[in-house]
């Protein structure tokens, strides 16, 4: 079905990096970039492992890429036949997002005749450690062929190498690479077994970091020669007492099951996922594909297998942004999972509960109390964010950024997500098993962070960075202050809930956290916290103190001041820093989240004011402008921002550099944002205490929008047309 297939039917080596993102496959345990079989680290091949990080020397900690068990290339009559050597006459690369299958089909016209390679692969949703590849060759003239296939351990790293102590093995048809990470010495094992549909001689070649089979045979014209590769990936982080043994056993099991059965088991799991999460848009094929593709991207990175993991800002597409978890997960991805995969949503918030101690350490480090969550969080919640997150494009020098120190809104995002999950599910266990503790610790952090201004008799949140990262160290950022207020509010609500319904647990928590004094502090703090509001005349909410005094020039003007397209726009010397140009939705995000507390006039005035001043330099931005437009009832404004969000990884038109640092990869927050814009925006879905309402305003070309949601264990089907709407309990 067209609306389930993403493909390219021409080869262009300029697209190699983007296609690595666009044609991603994965299963939450690992992500495999959409690279082709003959590619190596130079083309950014990556089998990216979720939740396993390493540090090399003084450089950033980042997730590891496992050895590539799919590596395969071809030699025909002594000549290498590869896209890297030879232009094809035909080439197609595709991803079937319905079944999570990556395919390629390449035809070369050579002096030795026509050579056709077809390959199909999947990262199993049934067995999280398994990758399968079916690779076929057809020639039209008799020729001598060597298929070189095996495990390439020379992996792509940004700040590597992360793997060391390579042991290369080859026993009874199984080849294997064992290695360990440098910092924590965690074993990483990849085993491969290859079965063939034909007779051939096989020789094993071992390189410094690779084990390759050379499958040699005489190929007859028009016969299809197929190999099946079963690749198993394990690490010492898995629930296993022996990663090596389990890895081998898993590869053997896969061979026993066979390709067809493994394939069928995999696609059945995809069917289950789509049964709940599919969104049908009739009337506009591009939008249909784009929303499904966004959902696909979220599904391939969802930590279904573990309640200890969350989702990094660039998914499992590589090591960009240190493979770290940002507020992207809580504010942009969580809603999709809450409505369609409640267990995954719980896993995501559980990650924050599990990493509370990391947040406590960070607060203590800066001299505060409570929990200051990491701006870039890795396995233990410690902050991976560097003090110098950008490199100056002209001097090559690191630029001091305050993301880690001052984006305190991260703790509010964590509290917000826990409270949203609690409200959505109605499950008090979430609060009893750590959720309330996190919220209380975040509230405590904000109390210790705030300033009491005696002259104004109010608390202020000073010296922060809001969502708009171009303006650092500002005072009274409206978004941050509002989110702090929300944290205090839900902290008090959580305390009240526990006190009434669970007095024993309440007393235990309050005494363990030594919180009795804090309660009085928080009540007072909430009463006197200053949250900037709309100006009486203009209705504009000033993004932070002094924003109005900044230079009010156009986006085009700011862009024209760039001396280099890769220049960083923010920080001390950025072209945007002293202007009103902002990176991403800030006040607008606040107005969307707290939409019931602001009038339509305020929302409209601020949208009109801030939109022309927003660069949308972050992929987190357009979806929020779309959502607020829907809230205002202006579908015309909303639609282009939906299109931008939903196509971000299809077009690859995003910022690839911050200074000289590569920030490319997939954009799960935008993928989640596309779902939000469609379901919460155009359909106007609202779930309150288990009750569903909708308030649709479909784009003009959409004749029908249909989707499912799961609310408190019940599944609902929602059908919306331009004239009609129905919520059906299934
Ligand atoms: O979390 C975002 C931030 O808001 C903008 N810069 C990129 C981060 C990761 O997506």
């Amino acid at each position: 079905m067209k609306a389930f297939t993403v493909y390219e039917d021409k080869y262009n080596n300029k697209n190699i990096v983007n296609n690595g993102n666009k044609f991603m496959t994965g299963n939450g345990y690992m992500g495999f970039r959409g690279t082709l079989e003959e590619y190596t680290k130079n083309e950014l091949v990556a089998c990216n492992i979720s939740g396993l990080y390493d540090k090399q020397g003084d450089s950033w900690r980042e997730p590891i890429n496992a050895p590539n068990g799919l590596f395969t290339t071809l030699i025909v009559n002594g000549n290498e036949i590869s896209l890297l050597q030879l232009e094809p006459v035909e080439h197609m690369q595709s991803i079937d997002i319905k079944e999570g299958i990556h395919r390629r089909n390449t035809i070369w016209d050579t002096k030795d005749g026509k050579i056709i390679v077809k390959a199909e692969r999947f990262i199993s949703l049934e067995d999280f450690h398994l990758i399968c590849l079916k690779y076929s060759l057809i020639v039209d003239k008799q020729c001598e062929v060597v298929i070189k296939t095996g495990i390439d351990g020379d992996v792509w790293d940004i700040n590597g190498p992360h793997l060391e102590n390579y042991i290369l093995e080859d026993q009874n048809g199984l080849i294997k690479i064992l290695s360990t990470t440098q910092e924590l010495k965690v074993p990483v094992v990849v085993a491969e077994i290859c079965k063939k549909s034909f007779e051939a001689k096989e020789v094993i070649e071992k390189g410094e970091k690779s084990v390759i089979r050379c499958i040699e045979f005489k190929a007859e014209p028009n016969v299809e020669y197929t190999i099946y590769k079963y690749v198993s990936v394990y690490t010492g982080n898995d629930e296993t007492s022996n990663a090596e043994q389990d890895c081998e056993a898993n590869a053997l099991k896969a061979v026993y099951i066979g390709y067809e059965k493994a394939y069928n088991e995999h696609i059945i799991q995809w069917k289950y996922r789509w049964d709940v999460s599919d969104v049908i848009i009739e009337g506009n094929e591009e939008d249909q594909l784009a929303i499904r593709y966004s959902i696909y991207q979220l599904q391939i990175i969802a930590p279904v297998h573990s309640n200890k993991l969350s989702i990094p800002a660039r998914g499992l597409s590589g090591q960009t942004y240190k493979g770290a978890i940002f507020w992207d997960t809580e504010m942009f991805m969580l809603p999709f999972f809450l409505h369609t995969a409640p267990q995954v949503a719980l896993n995501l918030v559980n990650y924050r509960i599990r990493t509370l101690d990391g947040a406590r350490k960070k607060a203590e480090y800066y001299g505060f109390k409570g929990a200051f969550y990491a701006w870039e969080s890795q396995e233990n919640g410690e902050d991976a964010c560097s003090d110098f997150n950008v490199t100056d494009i002209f001097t090559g020098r690191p630029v001091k950024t305050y993301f880690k120190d001052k984006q305190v809104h991260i703790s509010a995002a964590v509290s917000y997500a826990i409270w949203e999950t609690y409200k959505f599910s109605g499950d008090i266990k979430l609060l009893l098993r750590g959720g309330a503790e996190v919220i209380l610790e975040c509230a405590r952090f904000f109390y210790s962070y705030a300033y009491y201004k005696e002259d104004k008799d109010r608390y202020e949140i000073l010296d922060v960075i809001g969502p708009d990262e171009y303006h650092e160290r500002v005072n009274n950022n409206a978004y941050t202050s509002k989110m702090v207020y929300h944290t205090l509010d839900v902290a008090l609500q959580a305390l009240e809930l526990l006190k009434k319904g669970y007095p024993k647990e309440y007393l235990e928590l309050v005494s363990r956290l030594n919180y009795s004094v804090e309660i009085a502090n928080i009540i007072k703090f909430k009463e006197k916290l200053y949250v900037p509001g709309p100006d009486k005349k203009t209705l504009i909410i000033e993004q932070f103190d002094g924003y109005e005094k900044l230079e009010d020039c156009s986006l085009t003007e700011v862009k024209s001041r760039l001396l280099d397209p890769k220049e960083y726009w923010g920080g001390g010397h950025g072209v945007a820093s002293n202007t009103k140009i902002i990176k991403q939705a800030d006040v607008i995000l606040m107005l969307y989240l707290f939409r019931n507390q602001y009038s339509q006039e305020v929302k409209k005035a601020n949208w009109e004011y801030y939109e022309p001043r927003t660069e949308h330099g972050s992929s987190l931005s357009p979806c929020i402008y779309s959502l607020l437009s829907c809230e205002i009832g202006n579908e015309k404004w909303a639609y282009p921002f939906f299109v931008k969000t939903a196509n971000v990884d299809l077009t690859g038109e995003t910022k690839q550099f911050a200074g000289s640092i590569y920030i490319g990869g997939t954009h799960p927050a935008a993928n989640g944002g596309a779902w939000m814009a469609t379901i919460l925006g155009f359909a106007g879905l609202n779930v309150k205490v288990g009750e569903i309402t909708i308030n649709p305003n479909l784009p003009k070309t959409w004749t029908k929008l249909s989707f499912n949601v799961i609310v408190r264990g019940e599944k609902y089907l929602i059908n919306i047309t331009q004239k009609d709407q129905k919520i059906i309990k299934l």
Side-chain angles (χ1 to χ4, degrees), residues 313-314 321 326-328 375 467 469 583-584 618 620:
R314 289 286 179 266
Y321 283 151
F326 290 63
W327 68 314
D328 304 33
W375 181 241
E469 291 174 327
K583 182 178 181 186
Q584 65 202 85
S618 161
L620 277 52

Side-chain angles (χ1 to χ4, degrees), residues 484-681:
V484 170
Y485 186 91
H486 178 267
T487 308
L488 307 178
D489 187 39
V490 298
L492 294 173
Q493 285 191 54
L495 283 167
E496 203 49 34
L497 252 167
L498 298 193
K499 193 173 177 183
K500 277 197 189 136
Y502 302 85
K504 212 172 97 216
E505 286 81 355
Y506 169 83
L507 286 176
E508 187 280 326
L509 186 63
V510 169
S511 112
R512 183 161 51 81
L513 299 185
N514 199 8
Y515 215 77
S516 341
V517 198
E518 218 67 79
I519 298 176
N521 290 340
I522 285 170
I523 294 174
K524 180 180 60 180
F525 179 27
K526 188 183 153 209
E527 266 169 27
K528 299 201 167 186
L529 174 61
Y530 167 61
V531 178
D535 177 85
K536 284 204 180 71
K537 269 198 210 136
T538 63
L539 302 184
I540 303 305
I541 300 172
E542 193 177 24
Q543 188 175 292
F544 51 80
D545 289 355
Y547 175 84
E548 276 310 322
K549 296 196 187 89
L550 296 175
E551 185 189 349
D552 197 10
C553 56
S554 71
L555 192 55
T556 324
E557 167 62 26
V558 166
K559 265 191 197 157
S560 75
R561 294 176 186 172
L562 288 171
L563 300 177
D564 185 302
K566 289 183 187 162
E567 222 179 295
Y568 182 57
W569 288 36
H573 314 289
V575 284
S577 306
N578 296 313
T579 73
K580 284 190 181 177
I581 295 301
I582 63 172
K583 182 178 181 186
Q584 65 202 85
D586 195 307
V587 168
I588 298 303
L589 176 56
M590 177 188 87
L591 290 174
Y592 172 67
L593 295 176
F594 302 97
R595 50 197 174 279
N596 298 333
Q597 300 172 27
Y598 295 92
S599 71
Q600 293 297 74
E601 290 71 33
V602 167
K603 290 175 210 164
K604 190 161 179 285
N606 282 277
W607 198 103
E608 285 181 318
Y609 180 78
Y610 281 108
E611 202 291 315
R613 294 173 172 84
T614 307
E615 184 215 359
H616 300 293
S618 161
S619 63
L620 277 52
S621 192
C623 60
I624 301 302
Y625 277 88
S626 179
L627 281 158
L628 194 71
S629 315
C630 289
E631 178 61 26
I632 299 165
N634 192 332
E635 153 282 322
K636 264 203 214 114
W637 285 358
Y639 183 67
F641 290 105
F642 158 79
V643 172
K644 194 160 185 213
T645 304
N647 285 284
V648 66
D649 291 322
L650 285 170
T651 60
E653 283 162 12
T654 52
K655 265 201 185 161
Q656 302 287 316
F657 287 90
S660 63
I661 291 170
Y662 175 65
I663 54 168
T666 56
H667 298 81
N671 306 143
W675 183 91
M676 288 200 279
T678 308
I679 307 301
L680 310 180

Side-chain angles (χ1 to χ4, degrees), residues 432 529 725:
L432 293 171
L529 174 61
Q725 55 190 69

